[in-house]
Amino acid sequence: MPENLNEFLNPTMDKGIDRMLDFQKVLESYEKRHKIILKRLSEYRKVWELPEERIFAELCFCLCTPQSKAVVCDAAIKKLLENNLLFTGSSQQILPYLREVRFNENKSRYIVEARKLFIENGKISIKKHIDPKNILKTREWIVENVKGIGWKEVNHFLRNIGFGENIAILDRHILKNLVKCGVIDEEPKSLTPKLYLEIEEKMKDFSELSGIPMSHLDLLFWGEETGYLFK
């Protein structure tokens, strides 16, 4: 782990100047967005207190997000809920509601398979598989057992139900800003599990040295790139 922030921001004089300017922009943006970030994180924490079905719906949302827009996936899941298909529909019945989601045939099957995994006595039972005291172990179990979920998606899910304090959602928005701030040298073309965890550790170091919590960095970077905060 670097001893101070300058090790991230000043690997060379030329790059260091650019990174210092970028980091100054990050600090200014954080000051501007701090309250809304706190509000959004508070909303996520409240989700955990909601019924099992709501937690499962959030998992299904994250199952749909790879290479698709979050707002599109959220709208699709809401439509499935409105039509009572998220918990009862076959993959073929679910598919038309995912028409704007990429790889929708696969994802409709993933939703049905996930539902089968978490059904007990005819009801969704997902909270028992989530240990608030050991989120790292929880995410490993989910990645190993829920088809269609990778490291980014499981972290997205756990953040959205209130457990995102020490995990990173490494989408393109986050990776782009990690490059700007000197945390990583370049955006990887692909993320293996090993590389994902390595970058996550570097982001943790940067979070600690910058004084901006991991969960705040995620929303801050996302907001910087999109202009708004979504889930």
PDB file of all heavy atoms in Angstrom, residues 186-219:
ATOM      1  N   GLU A 186      -4.334   2.094 -16.722  1.00  0.00           N
ATOM      2  CA  GLU A 186      -5.209   2.106 -17.880  1.00  0.00           C
ATOM      3  C   GLU A 186      -6.443   1.275 -17.604  1.00  0.00           C
ATOM      4  O   GLU A 186      -6.447   0.428 -16.705  1.00  0.00           O
ATOM      5  CB  GLU A 186      -4.479   1.557 -19.112  1.00  0.00           C
ATOM      6  CG  GLU A 186      -4.004   0.130 -18.951  1.00  0.00           C
ATOM      7  CD  GLU A 186      -3.236  -0.369 -20.163  1.00  0.00           C
ATOM      8  OE1 GLU A 186      -3.054   0.412 -21.111  1.00  0.00           O
ATOM      9  OE2 GLU A 186      -2.824  -1.543 -20.164  1.00  0.00           O
ATOM     10  N   GLU A 187      -7.492   1.522 -18.375  1.00  0.00           N
ATOM     11  CA  GLU A 187      -8.703   0.728 -18.245  1.00  0.00           C
ATOM     12  C   GLU A 187      -8.462  -0.657 -18.838  1.00  0.00           C
ATOM     13  O   GLU A 187      -8.048  -0.767 -19.990  1.00  0.00           O
ATOM     14  CB  GLU A 187      -9.866   1.398 -18.980  1.00  0.00           C
ATOM     15  CG  GLU A 187     -10.311   2.720 -18.373  1.00  0.00           C
ATOM     16  CD  GLU A 187     -11.492   3.312 -19.126  1.00  0.00           C
ATOM     17  OE1 GLU A 187     -12.513   2.602 -19.275  1.00  0.00           O
ATOM     18  OE2 GLU A 187     -11.383   4.460 -19.578  1.00  0.00           O
ATOM     19  N   PRO A 188      -8.678  -1.711 -18.075  1.00  0.00           N
ATOM     20  CA  PRO A 188      -8.471  -3.064 -18.616  1.00  0.00           C
ATOM     21  C   PRO A 188      -9.501  -3.387 -19.686  1.00  0.00           C
ATOM     22  O   PRO A 188     -10.650  -2.961 -19.604  1.00  0.00           O
ATOM     23  CB  PRO A 188      -8.651  -3.952 -17.382  1.00  0.00           C
ATOM     24  CG  PRO A 188      -9.491  -3.155 -16.453  1.00  0.00           C
ATOM     25  CD  PRO A 188      -9.143  -1.721 -16.688  1.00  0.00           C
ATOM     26  N   LYS A 189      -9.062  -4.138 -20.706  1.00  0.00           N
ATOM     27  CA  LYS A 189      -9.984  -4.542 -21.768  1.00  0.00           C
ATOM     28  C   LYS A 189     -10.990  -5.564 -21.259  1.00  0.00           C
ATOM     29  O   LYS A 189     -12.112  -5.661 -21.744  1.00  0.00           O
ATOM     30  CB  LYS A 189      -9.198  -5.083 -22.951  1.00  0.00           C
ATOM     31  CG  LYS A 189      -8.331  -4.025 -23.642  1.00  0.00           C
ATOM     32  CD  LYS A 189      -7.571  -4.610 -24.809  1.00  0.00           C
ATOM     33  CE  LYS A 189      -6.723  -3.538 -25.503  1.00  0.00           C
ATOM     34  NZ  LYS A 189      -5.932  -4.111 -26.640  1.00  0.00           N
ATOM     35  N   SER A 190     -10.562  -6.353 -20.290  1.00  0.00           N
ATOM     36  CA  SER A 190     -11.459  -7.313 -19.647  1.00  0.00           C
ATOM     37  C   SER A 190     -11.025  -7.466 -18.195  1.00  0.00           C
ATOM     38  O   SER A 190      -9.881  -7.166 -17.848  1.00  0.00           O
ATOM     39  CB  SER A 190     -11.428  -8.673 -20.359  1.00  0.00           C
ATOM     40  OG  SER A 190     -10.120  -9.227 -20.318  1.00  0.00           O
ATOM     41  N   LEU A 191     -11.948  -7.935 -17.376  1.00  0.00           N
ATOM     42  CA  LEU A 191     -11.656  -8.067 -15.941  1.00  0.00           C
ATOM     43  C   LEU A 191     -11.800  -9.523 -15.515  1.00  0.00           C
ATOM     44  O   LEU A 191     -12.914 -10.037 -15.394  1.00  0.00           O
ATOM     45  CB  LEU A 191     -12.618  -7.196 -15.124  1.00  0.00           C
ATOM     46  CG  LEU A 191     -12.258  -5.714 -14.956  1.00  0.00           C
ATOM     47  CD1 LEU A 191     -13.384  -4.990 -14.247  1.00  0.00           C
ATOM     48  CD2 LEU A 191     -10.963  -5.541 -14.194  1.00  0.00           C
ATOM     49  N   THR A 192     -10.677 -10.185 -15.289  1.00  0.00           N
ATOM     50  CA  THR A 192     -10.712 -11.510 -14.691  1.00  0.00           C
ATOM     51  C   THR A 192     -11.019 -11.340 -13.205  1.00  0.00           C
ATOM     52  O   THR A 192     -10.827 -10.247 -12.647  1.00  0.00           O
ATOM     53  CB  THR A 192      -9.364 -12.218 -14.849  1.00  0.00           C
ATOM     54  OG1 THR A 192      -8.360 -11.465 -14.121  1.00  0.00           O
ATOM     55  CG2 THR A 192      -8.953 -12.322 -16.313  1.00  0.00           C
ATOM     56  N   PRO A 193     -11.494 -12.387 -12.528  1.00  0.00           N
ATOM     57  CA  PRO A 193     -11.722 -12.268 -11.086  1.00  0.00           C
ATOM     58  C   PRO A 193     -10.477 -11.792 -10.341  1.00  0.00           C
ATOM     59  O   PRO A 193     -10.573 -10.947  -9.433  1.00  0.00           O
ATOM     60  CB  PRO A 193     -12.111 -13.691 -10.687  1.00  0.00           C
ATOM     61  CG  PRO A 193     -12.754 -14.255 -11.915  1.00  0.00           C
ATOM     62  CD  PRO A 193     -11.962 -13.685 -13.058  1.00  0.00           C
ATOM     63  N   LYS A 194      -9.320 -12.293 -10.723  1.00  0.00           N
ATOM     64  CA  LYS A 194      -8.070 -11.909 -10.060  1.00  0.00           C
ATOM     65  C   LYS A 194      -7.786 -10.418 -10.244  1.00  0.00           C
ATOM     66  O   LYS A 194      -7.474  -9.708  -9.281  1.00  0.00           O
ATOM     67  CB  LYS A 194      -6.902 -12.731 -10.620  1.00  0.00           C
ATOM     68  CG  LYS A 194      -5.549 -12.439  -9.978  1.00  0.00           C
ATOM     69  CD  LYS A 194      -4.496 -13.400 -10.534  1.00  0.00           C
ATOM     70  CE  LYS A 194      -3.134 -13.195  -9.871  1.00  0.00           C
ATOM     71  NZ  LYS A 194      -2.533 -11.884 -10.233  1.00  0.00           N
ATOM     72  N   LEU A 195      -7.922  -9.931 -11.482  1.00  0.00           N
ATOM     73  CA  LEU A 195      -7.667  -8.518 -11.745  1.00  0.00           C
ATOM     74  C   LEU A 195      -8.709  -7.639 -11.071  1.00  0.00           C
ATOM     75  O   LEU A 195      -8.384  -6.553 -10.568  1.00  0.00           O
ATOM     76  CB  LEU A 195      -7.657  -8.264 -13.255  1.00  0.00           C
ATOM     77  CG  LEU A 195      -7.367  -6.828 -13.701  1.00  0.00           C
ATOM     78  CD1 LEU A 195      -6.029  -6.342 -13.145  1.00  0.00           C
ATOM     79  CD2 LEU A 195      -7.383  -6.725 -15.230  1.00  0.00           C
ATOM     80  N   TYR A 196      -9.945  -8.087 -11.060  1.00  0.00           N
ATOM     81  CA  TYR A 196     -11.013  -7.326 -10.405  1.00  0.00           C
ATOM     82  C   TYR A 196     -10.653  -7.074  -8.941  1.00  0.00           C
ATOM     83  O   TYR A 196     -10.726  -5.945  -8.453  1.00  0.00           O
ATOM     84  CB  TYR A 196     -12.337  -8.078 -10.490  1.00  0.00           C
ATOM     85  CG  TYR A 196     -13.529  -7.221 -10.122  1.00  0.00           C
ATOM     86  CD1 TYR A 196     -14.371  -6.724 -11.112  1.00  0.00           C
ATOM     87  CD2 TYR A 196     -13.809  -6.888  -8.794  1.00  0.00           C
ATOM     88  CE1 TYR A 196     -15.468  -5.925 -10.786  1.00  0.00           C
ATOM     89  CE2 TYR A 196     -14.887  -6.095  -8.457  1.00  0.00           C
ATOM     90  CZ  TYR A 196     -15.709  -5.608  -9.463  1.00  0.00           C
ATOM     91  OH  TYR A 196     -16.782  -4.793  -9.117  1.00  0.00           O
ATOM     92  N   LEU A 197     -10.253  -8.122  -8.240  1.00  0.00           N
ATOM     93  CA  LEU A 197      -9.944  -7.997  -6.818  1.00  0.00           C
ATOM     94  C   LEU A 197      -8.689  -7.165  -6.594  1.00  0.00           C
ATOM     95  O   LEU A 197      -8.578  -6.452  -5.592  1.00  0.00           O
ATOM     96  CB  LEU A 197      -9.807  -9.382  -6.193  1.00  0.00           C
ATOM     97  CG  LEU A 197     -11.098 -10.228  -6.213  1.00  0.00           C
ATOM     98  CD1 LEU A 197     -10.841 -11.609  -5.626  1.00  0.00           C
ATOM     99  CD2 LEU A 197     -12.217  -9.534  -5.448  1.00  0.00           C
ATOM    100  N   GLU A 198      -7.737  -7.229  -7.530  1.00  0.00           N
ATOM    101  CA  GLU A 198      -6.524  -6.419  -7.410  1.00  0.00           C
ATOM    102  C   GLU A 198      -6.859  -4.931  -7.524  1.00  0.00           C
ATOM    103  O   GLU A 198      -6.359  -4.110  -6.750  1.00  0.00           O
ATOM    104  CB  GLU A 198      -5.517  -6.815  -8.492  1.00  0.00           C
ATOM    105  CG  GLU A 198      -4.843  -8.154  -8.251  1.00  0.00           C
ATOM    106  CD  GLU A 198      -3.924  -8.567  -9.404  1.00  0.00           C
ATOM    107  OE1 GLU A 198      -3.868  -7.805 -10.415  1.00  0.00           O
ATOM    108  OE2 GLU A 198      -3.285  -9.622  -9.301  1.00  0.00           O
ATOM    109  N   ILE A 199      -7.697  -4.591  -8.491  1.00  0.00           N
ATOM    110  CA  ILE A 199      -8.088  -3.185  -8.662  1.00  0.00           C
ATOM    111  C   ILE A 199      -8.938  -2.723  -7.479  1.00  0.00           C
ATOM    112  O   ILE A 199      -8.814  -1.583  -7.009  1.00  0.00           O
ATOM    113  CB  ILE A 199      -8.839  -2.988  -9.992  1.00  0.00           C
ATOM    114  CG1 ILE A 199      -7.898  -3.261 -11.164  1.00  0.00           C
ATOM    115  CG2 ILE A 199      -9.409  -1.567 -10.085  1.00  0.00           C
ATOM    116  CD1 ILE A 199      -8.561  -3.186 -12.525  1.00  0.00           C
ATOM    117  N   GLU A 200      -9.776  -3.604  -6.977  1.00  0.00           N
ATOM    118  CA  GLU A 200     -10.583  -3.270  -5.805  1.00  0.00           C
ATOM    119  C   GLU A 200      -9.681  -2.910  -4.622  1.00  0.00           C
ATOM    120  O   GLU A 200      -9.961  -1.949  -3.895  1.00  0.00           O
ATOM    121  CB  GLU A 200     -11.490  -4.437  -5.441  1.00  0.00           C
ATOM    122  CG  GLU A 200     -12.431  -4.134  -4.283  1.00  0.00           C
ATOM    123  CD  GLU A 200     -13.356  -5.304  -3.973  1.00  0.00           C
ATOM    124  OE1 GLU A 200     -12.842  -6.376  -3.576  1.00  0.00           O
ATOM    125  OE2 GLU A 200     -14.578  -5.162  -4.118  1.00  0.00           O
ATOM    126  N   GLU A 201      -8.622  -3.654  -4.428  1.00  0.00           N
ATOM    127  CA  GLU A 201      -7.686  -3.370  -3.334  1.00  0.00           C
ATOM    128  C   GLU A 201      -7.010  -2.014  -3.533  1.00  0.00           C
ATOM    129  O   GLU A 201      -6.806  -1.260  -2.577  1.00  0.00           O
ATOM    130  CB  GLU A 201      -6.639  -4.477  -3.221  1.00  0.00           C
ATOM    131  CG  GLU A 201      -7.145  -5.748  -2.575  1.00  0.00           C
ATOM    132  CD  GLU A 201      -7.680  -5.526  -1.165  1.00  0.00           C
ATOM    133  OE1 GLU A 201      -6.993  -4.838  -0.376  1.00  0.00           O
ATOM    134  OE2 GLU A 201      -8.788  -5.998  -0.864  1.00  0.00           O
ATOM    135  N   LYS A 202      -6.651  -1.704  -4.774  1.00  0.00           N
ATOM    136  CA  LYS A 202      -6.035  -0.408  -5.060  1.00  0.00           C
ATOM    137  C   LYS A 202      -7.015   0.736  -4.792  1.00  0.00           C
ATOM    138  O   LYS A 202      -6.631   1.795  -4.297  1.00  0.00           O
ATOM    139  CB  LYS A 202      -5.548  -0.362  -6.503  1.00  0.00           C
ATOM    140  CG  LYS A 202      -4.359  -1.261  -6.788  1.00  0.00           C
ATOM    141  CD  LYS A 202      -3.920  -1.172  -8.242  1.00  0.00           C
ATOM    142  CE  LYS A 202      -2.722  -2.065  -8.501  1.00  0.00           C
ATOM    143  NZ  LYS A 202      -2.265  -2.000  -9.917  1.00  0.00           N
ATOM    144  N   MET A 203      -8.269   0.497  -5.122  1.00  0.00           N
ATOM    145  CA  MET A 203      -9.286   1.510  -4.848  1.00  0.00           C
ATOM    146  C   MET A 203      -9.477   1.697  -3.349  1.00  0.00           C
ATOM    147  O   MET A 203      -9.691   2.818  -2.872  1.00  0.00           O
ATOM    148  CB  MET A 203     -10.604   1.111  -5.515  1.00  0.00           C
ATOM    149  CG  MET A 203     -11.687   2.176  -5.439  1.00  0.00           C
ATOM    150  SD  MET A 203     -13.124   1.742  -6.465  1.00  0.00           S
ATOM    151  CE  MET A 203     -14.304   2.992  -5.942  1.00  0.00           C
ATOM    152  N   LYS A 204      -9.377   0.617  -2.583  1.00  0.00           N
ATOM    153  CA  LYS A 204      -9.462   0.720  -1.122  1.00  0.00           C
ATOM    154  C   LYS A 204      -8.324   1.567  -0.582  1.00  0.00           C
ATOM    155  O   LYS A 204      -8.519   2.407   0.307  1.00  0.00           O
ATOM    156  CB  LYS A 204      -9.424  -0.671  -0.490  1.00  0.00           C
ATOM    157  CG  LYS A 204     -10.695  -1.475  -0.642  1.00  0.00           C
ATOM    158  CD  LYS A 204     -10.555  -2.848   0.009  1.00  0.00           C
ATOM    159  CE  LYS A 204     -11.796  -3.694  -0.195  1.00  0.00           C
ATOM    160  NZ  LYS A 204     -11.649  -5.036   0.397  1.00  0.00           N
ATOM    161  N   ASP A 205      -7.117   1.351  -1.108  1.00  0.00           N
ATOM    162  CA  ASP A 205      -5.967   2.145  -0.680  1.00  0.00           C
ATOM    163  C   ASP A 205      -6.200   3.629  -0.975  1.00  0.00           C
ATOM    164  O   ASP A 205      -5.950   4.499  -0.135  1.00  0.00           O
ATOM    165  CB  ASP A 205      -4.701   1.675  -1.396  1.00  0.00           C
ATOM    166  CG  ASP A 205      -4.235   0.306  -0.937  1.00  0.00           C
ATOM    167  OD1 ASP A 205      -4.697  -0.154   0.129  1.00  0.00           O
ATOM    168  OD2 ASP A 205      -3.405  -0.304  -1.636  1.00  0.00           O
ATOM    169  N   PHE A 206      -6.669   3.892  -2.180  1.00  0.00           N
ATOM    170  CA  PHE A 206      -6.935   5.268  -2.578  1.00  0.00           C
ATOM    171  C   PHE A 206      -8.021   5.890  -1.705  1.00  0.00           C
ATOM    172  O   PHE A 206      -7.927   7.056  -1.303  1.00  0.00           O
ATOM    173  CB  PHE A 206      -7.363   5.308  -4.046  1.00  0.00           C
ATOM    174  CG  PHE A 206      -7.673   6.681  -4.553  1.00  0.00           C
ATOM    175  CD1 PHE A 206      -6.673   7.629  -4.707  1.00  0.00           C
ATOM    176  CD2 PHE A 206      -8.974   7.039  -4.888  1.00  0.00           C
ATOM    177  CE1 PHE A 206      -6.958   8.900  -5.173  1.00  0.00           C
ATOM    178  CE2 PHE A 206      -9.271   8.306  -5.355  1.00  0.00           C
ATOM    179  CZ  PHE A 206      -8.257   9.239  -5.499  1.00  0.00           C
ATOM    180  N   SER A 207      -9.046   5.120  -1.396  1.00  0.00           N
ATOM    181  CA  SER A 207     -10.121   5.591  -0.529  1.00  0.00           C
ATOM    182  C   SER A 207      -9.576   5.995   0.838  1.00  0.00           C
ATOM    183  O   SER A 207      -9.904   7.066   1.360  1.00  0.00           O
ATOM    184  CB  SER A 207     -11.177   4.489  -0.379  1.00  0.00           C
ATOM    185  OG  SER A 207     -12.089   4.793   0.650  1.00  0.00           O
ATOM    186  N   GLU A 208      -8.745   5.131   1.378  1.00  0.00           N
ATOM    187  CA  GLU A 208      -8.181   5.403   2.716  1.00  0.00           C
ATOM    188  C   GLU A 208      -7.295   6.644   2.706  1.00  0.00           C
ATOM    189  O   GLU A 208      -7.377   7.494   3.595  1.00  0.00           O
ATOM    190  CB  GLU A 208      -7.382   4.193   3.181  1.00  0.00           C
ATOM    191  CG  GLU A 208      -6.823   4.340   4.584  1.00  0.00           C
ATOM    192  CD  GLU A 208      -6.120   3.083   5.071  1.00  0.00           C
ATOM    193  OE1 GLU A 208      -6.448   1.988   4.575  1.00  0.00           O
ATOM    194  OE2 GLU A 208      -5.230   3.211   5.935  1.00  0.00           O
ATOM    195  N   LEU A 209      -6.457   6.769   1.687  1.00  0.00           N
ATOM    196  CA  LEU A 209      -5.521   7.889   1.631  1.00  0.00           C
ATOM    197  C   LEU A 209      -6.210   9.207   1.285  1.00  0.00           C
ATOM    198  O   LEU A 209      -5.796  10.267   1.748  1.00  0.00           O
ATOM    199  CB  LEU A 209      -4.425   7.598   0.608  1.00  0.00           C
ATOM    200  CG  LEU A 209      -3.462   6.459   0.972  1.00  0.00           C
ATOM    201  CD1 LEU A 209      -2.572   6.113  -0.203  1.00  0.00           C
ATOM    202  CD2 LEU A 209      -2.613   6.841   2.178  1.00  0.00           C
ATOM    203  N   SER A 210      -7.265   9.142   0.482  1.00  0.00           N
ATOM    204  CA  SER A 210      -7.963  10.366   0.080  1.00  0.00           C
ATOM    205  C   SER A 210      -8.982  10.815   1.118  1.00  0.00           C
ATOM    206  O   SER A 210      -9.415  11.967   1.115  1.00  0.00           O
ATOM    207  CB  SER A 210      -8.674  10.150  -1.255  1.00  0.00           C
ATOM    208  OG  SER A 210      -9.730   9.210  -1.119  1.00  0.00           O
ATOM    209  N   GLY A 211      -9.388   9.888   1.981  1.00  0.00           N
ATOM    210  CA  GLY A 211     -10.392  10.218   2.982  1.00  0.00           C
ATOM    211  C   GLY A 211     -11.819  10.156   2.465  1.00  0.00           C
ATOM    212  O   GLY A 211     -12.749  10.587   3.145  1.00  0.00           O
ATOM    213  N   ILE A 212     -11.997   9.607   1.269  1.00  0.00           N
ATOM    214  CA  ILE A 212     -13.343   9.455   0.695  1.00  0.00           C
ATOM    215  C   ILE A 212     -13.732   7.983   0.782  1.00  0.00           C
ATOM    216  O   ILE A 212     -13.076   7.137   0.178  1.00  0.00           O
ATOM    217  CB  ILE A 212     -13.383   9.912  -0.773  1.00  0.00           C
ATOM    218  CG1 ILE A 212     -12.913  11.354  -0.895  1.00  0.00           C
ATOM    219  CG2 ILE A 212     -14.806   9.764  -1.329  1.00  0.00           C
ATOM    220  CD1 ILE A 212     -12.826  11.852  -2.335  1.00  0.00           C
ATOM    221  N   PRO A 213     -14.764   7.632   1.539  1.00  0.00           N
ATOM    222  CA  PRO A 213     -15.148   6.222   1.696  1.00  0.00           C
ATOM    223  C   PRO A 213     -15.408   5.533   0.361  1.00  0.00           C
ATOM    224  O   PRO A 213     -15.830   6.164  -0.600  1.00  0.00           O
ATOM    225  CB  PRO A 213     -16.425   6.294   2.542  1.00  0.00           C
ATOM    226  CG  PRO A 213     -16.332   7.595   3.263  1.00  0.00           C
ATOM    227  CD  PRO A 213     -15.646   8.534   2.320  1.00  0.00           C
ATOM    228  N   MET A 214     -15.162   4.223   0.313  1.00  0.00           N
ATOM    229  CA  MET A 214     -15.343   3.444  -0.905  1.00  0.00           C
ATOM    230  C   MET A 214     -16.729   3.630  -1.511  1.00  0.00           C
ATOM    231  O   MET A 214     -16.879   3.865  -2.710  1.00  0.00           O
ATOM    232  CB  MET A 214     -15.122   1.955  -0.611  1.00  0.00           C
ATOM    233  CG  MET A 214     -13.678   1.546  -0.514  1.00  0.00           C
ATOM    234  SD  MET A 214     -12.943   1.235  -2.124  1.00  0.00           S
ATOM    235  CE  MET A 214     -13.621  -0.389  -2.501  1.00  0.00           C
ATOM    236  N   SER A 215     -17.750   3.498  -0.693  1.00  0.00           N
ATOM    237  CA  SER A 215     -19.117   3.605  -1.204  1.00  0.00           C
ATOM    238  C   SER A 215     -19.404   5.003  -1.743  1.00  0.00           C
ATOM    239  O   SER A 215     -20.194   5.174  -2.670  1.00  0.00           O
ATOM    240  CB  SER A 215     -20.123   3.244  -0.116  1.00  0.00           C
ATOM    241  OG  SER A 215     -19.917   4.038   1.045  1.00  0.00           O
ATOM    242  N   HIS A 216     -18.752   6.013  -1.180  1.00  0.00           N
ATOM    243  CA  HIS A 216     -18.919   7.379  -1.655  1.00  0.00           C
ATOM    244  C   HIS A 216     -18.205   7.568  -2.991  1.00  0.00           C
ATOM    245  O   HIS A 216     -18.726   8.229  -3.895  1.00  0.00           O
ATOM    246  CB  HIS A 216     -18.351   8.366  -0.636  1.00  0.00           C
ATOM    247  CG  HIS A 216     -19.120   8.416   0.643  1.00  0.00           C
ATOM    248  ND1 HIS A 216     -19.298   9.582   1.370  1.00  0.00           N
ATOM    249  CD2 HIS A 216     -19.755   7.451   1.349  1.00  0.00           C
ATOM    250  CE1 HIS A 216     -20.008   9.332   2.463  1.00  0.00           C
ATOM    251  NE2 HIS A 216     -20.289   8.033   2.470  1.00  0.00           N
ATOM    252  N   LEU A 217     -17.006   6.983  -3.109  1.00  0.00           N
ATOM    253  CA  LEU A 217     -16.246   7.092  -4.351  1.00  0.00           C
ATOM    254  C   LEU A 217     -17.030   6.534  -5.526  1.00  0.00           C
ATOM    255  O   LEU A 217     -17.047   7.111  -6.615  1.00  0.00           O
ATOM    256  CB  LEU A 217     -14.922   6.327  -4.229  1.00  0.00           C
ATOM    257  CG  LEU A 217     -13.712   7.060  -3.662  1.00  0.00           C
ATOM    258  CD1 LEU A 217     -12.533   6.098  -3.554  1.00  0.00           C
ATOM    259  CD2 LEU A 217     -13.333   8.266  -4.516  1.00  0.00           C
ATOM    260  N   ASP A 218     -17.655   5.408  -5.311  1.00  0.00           N
ATOM    261  CA  ASP A 218     -18.422   4.766  -6.370  1.00  0.00           C
ATOM    262  C   ASP A 218     -19.503   5.707  -6.902  1.00  0.00           C
ATOM    263  O   ASP A 218     -19.603   5.958  -8.110  1.00  0.00           O
ATOM    264  CB  ASP A 218     -19.048   3.480  -5.848  1.00  0.00           C
ATOM    265  CG  ASP A 218     -20.077   2.911  -6.801  1.00  0.00           C
ATOM    266  OD1 ASP A 218     -19.655   2.436  -7.866  1.00  0.00           O
ATOM    267  OD2 ASP A 218     -21.278   2.956  -6.505  1.00  0.00           O
ATOM    268  N   LEU A 219     -20.318   6.245  -6.015  1.00  0.00           N
ATOM    269  CA  LEU A 219     -21.401   7.135  -6.437  1.00  0.00           C
ATOM    270  C   LEU A 219     -20.864   8.448  -6.994  1.00  0.00           C
ATOM    271  O   LEU A 219     -21.429   9.010  -7.932  1.00  0.00           O
ATOM    272  CB  LEU A 219     -22.339   7.405  -5.263  1.00  0.00           C
ATOM    273  CG  LEU A 219     -23.211   6.222  -4.833  1.00  0.00           C
ATOM    274  CD1 LEU A 219     -23.970   6.560  -3.560  1.00  0.00           C
ATOM    275  CD2 LEU A 219     -24.179   5.821  -5.938  1.00  0.00           C
TER     276      LEU A 219
END
